Amino acid sequence: MAKQQILLVDADSSSARLLEVSLRSAGFNIAAAVSAEDALGKLEHGVPDLILTEARLPGVDGFSFVRTLRA
């Protein structure tokens, strides 16, 4: 069975790194983005199984990012 892919969107590099290491050790493939715009660019290459996003992102906040994804 293939590893599940998670897109982690967080501008705080320390918390993002902590989550990334923890999730990788749990067996997930992780793609990281530092902003909603960065995440949207990564989504052009494929849709992950799960997206984890911080609410406070630079530029477009996490809530607007999720609304964009749902539209």
Side-chain angles (χ1 to χ4, degrees), residues 3-56:
K3 289 185 176 184
Q4 290 184 318
Q5 179 72 33
I6 297 175
L7 175 58
L8 176 61
V9 188
D10 194 338
D12 180 354
S13 61
S14 2
S15 64
R17 183 68 183 144
L18 179 64
L19 278 170
E20 185 176 347
V21 168
S22 297
L23 291 168
R24 281 189 198 280
S25 68
F28 296 98
N29 283 330
I30 306 299
V34 296
S35 67
E37 293 82 8
D38 184 22
L40 289 171
K42 291 181 188 283
L43 289 172
E44 291 177 3
H45 302 288
V47 178
D49 297 298
L50 177 70
I51 298 172
L52 293 175
T53 184
E54 171 67 43
R56 291 182 221 146

